[in-house]
Amino acid sequence: MLQSLSSNSCVKLIRKNKSTWYFTFLLLGYLLYLIFGALVFSSVELPYEELLREELRNVKKQFLQDNECLSESKLEEFLEKVLEASNYGVSVLSNASGNWNWDFTSALFFASTVLSTTGYGHTVPLSDGGKAFCIIYSLIGIPFTLLFLSAIVQRIMVYITRRPIIYIHTRWGFSKQTIAIVHAVGLGIIVVTCFFFIPAAIFSVLEGNWNFLESFYFCFISLSTIGLGDYVPGEGYNQKFRELYKIGITCYLMLGLIAMLLVLETFCELQQLKKFRKMFYVKKSKGDDQLCIMEHDQLSFSSISDQAAVLKEDQKLNEPFMSVPPVTYYATDGSING
């Protein structure tokens, strides 16, 4: 009897805190995924790092042997200056001296990477004034960019996602959930093709030392706003039409971000994903519901009508099929045709 009571109480406790258990599993899964990524990266990249270190040691040793008049301390001092300048985007190589990092087109490209939070890191402000302005510029510009991109995506969603789904549903009577899934997958394929595969093929041609994988890697790292900075286009020796090329890359990054946000927003509106996300959310308490009611009471009539329209649209989206009433036609002789 006691065992059955205790088991029932445990079941009730688990059901009551279901979202907490789901969140705990989510946290553990995320930590395991981090550890998994660290293990894979370490096992794959560590041998290459050791090989590169050994190669550099051999090159340095051979250079000192060929130039006995040069001491190792002087070489170390020179290399420190070179590496420090390289971290600021300035190269000591003669074939890179013609590329300026802060002409207008390069500065425009830098501003776009800052505002989009891509931040390749190949070019950074050198002066204290530039660093201070970068902080203020980013503090205002990043929220401004998020607002701008979200407004564009919201407008595009009306014509690219919502209206086509409603049209197909009303025209052929298919389930809105099925249409939404097919539409999201199709939109994802189109975006991946137009903003990943095709640009990767173009970059592999324009950038002489990039293969297709490296070009695709650059596209993904850029449009996902990771921005590692190991591959940056337009930095090659004697790049033809470099200014125009930089402007084109800037436009590509902005359009690609809009396309990525459009796909993410389309997938996030799927009912299946909404239900899955709610599994990890904290359920609202009665106090929160009363607070929401008080806030709703203070709204204007126009906002209430807008909310009612949104709720009505959501109900339409949840309907599996469209119900079409039967149509009755009356002939001229008074007979009825169904």
Side-chain angles (χ1 to χ4, degrees), residues 196-245:
F196 287 91
F197 285 105
I198 295 177
I202 295 174
F203 282 126
S204 63
V205 174
L206 296 179
E207 299 290 333
N209 56 343
W210 291 13
N211 57 32
F212 182 80
L213 177 60
E214 292 170 335
S215 301
F216 189 89
Y217 168 81
F218 162 76
C219 295
F220 177 80
I221 292 297
S222 299
L223 297 186
S224 60
T225 68
I226 298 173
L228 296 177
D230 48 351
Y231 289 91
V232 180
E235 300 297 324
Y237 175 60
N238 288 335
Q239 179 71 52
K240 295 181 179 179
F241 307 105
R242 185 172 183 268
E243 291 77 12
L244 184 61
Y245 189 34

Side-chain angles (χ1 to χ4, degrees), residues 171-216:
R171 181 66 176 82
W172 289 286
F174 292 109
S175 170
K176 285 188 177 181
Q177 295 182 6
T178 304
I179 300 171
I181 294 174
V182 175
H183 175 269
V185 174
L187 183 62
I189 293 173
I190 294 173
V191 169
V192 169
T193 302
C194 295
F195 289 93
F196 287 91
F197 285 105
I198 295 177
I202 295 174
F203 282 126
S204 63
V205 174
L206 296 179
E207 299 290 333
N209 56 343
W210 291 13
N211 57 32
F212 182 80
L213 177 60
E214 292 170 335
S215 301
F216 189 89

Side-chain angles (χ1 to χ4, degrees), residues 78-93 96 101-102 120-126 229 232 235:
F78 174 73
L79 291 177
E80 286 180 2
K81 290 290 185 180
V82 171
L83 292 176
E84 182 180 359
S86 179
N87 291 333
Y88 286 97
V90 179
S91 177
V92 73
L93 299 176
N101 292 325
W102 292 107
Y120 292 115
H122 71 295
T123 301
V124 293
L126 301 175
V232 180
E235 300 297 324

Side-chain angles (χ1 to χ4, degrees), residues 101-200:
N101 292 325
W102 292 107
D103 55 356
F104 176 75
T105 54
S106 298
L108 180 64
F109 179 69
F110 172 78
S112 67
T113 59
V114 169
L115 296 184
S116 62
T117 68
T118 304
Y120 292 115
H122 71 295
T123 301
V124 293
L126 301 175
S127 62
D128 293 338
K131 295 174 184 176
F133 176 74
C134 185
I135 295 174
I136 300 173
Y137 185 72
S138 303
L139 191 64
I140 300 174
I142 291 176
F144 188 23
T145 303
L146 293 176
L147 176 63
F148 171 68
L149 294 178
S150 62
I152 292 179
V153 170
Q154 190 273 336
R155 291 174 179 272
I156 296 176
M157 285 279 292
V158 175
Y159 299 98
I160 300 297
T161 299
R162 295 192 178 97
R163 288 189 178 180
I165 292 176
I166 294 175
Y167 174 78
I168 295 174
H169 173 69
T170 55
R171 181 66 176 82
W172 289 286
F174 292 109
S175 170
K176 285 188 177 181
Q177 295 182 6
T178 304
I179 300 171
I181 294 174
V182 175
H183 175 269
V185 174
L187 183 62
I189 293 173
I190 294 173
V191 169
V192 169
T193 302
C194 295
F195 289 93
F196 287 91
F197 285 105
I198 295 177

Side-chain angles (χ1 to χ4, degrees), residues 232-286:
V232 180
E235 300 297 324
Y237 175 60
N238 288 335
Q239 179 71 52
K240 295 181 179 179
F241 307 105
R242 185 172 183 268
E243 291 77 12
L244 184 61
Y245 189 34
K246 284 287 186 179
I247 294 176
I249 295 169
T250 303
C251 296
Y252 161 72
L253 291 177
M254 298 305 295
L255 292 175
L257 284 176
I258 293 173
M260 290 288 289
L261 290 175
L262 178 63
V263 173
L264 290 176
E265 186 68 21
T266 302
F267 274 94
C268 287
E269 286 198 354
L270 295 178
Q271 295 298 321
Q272 292 81 356
L273 289 181
K274 286 183 179 180
K275 292 179 181 178
F276 180 74
R277 293 200 309 270
K278 288 180 180 179
M279 293 170 55
F280 308 101
Y281 293 166
V282 178
K283 293 183 178 180
K284 290 184 178 181
S285 60
K286 294 183 178 179

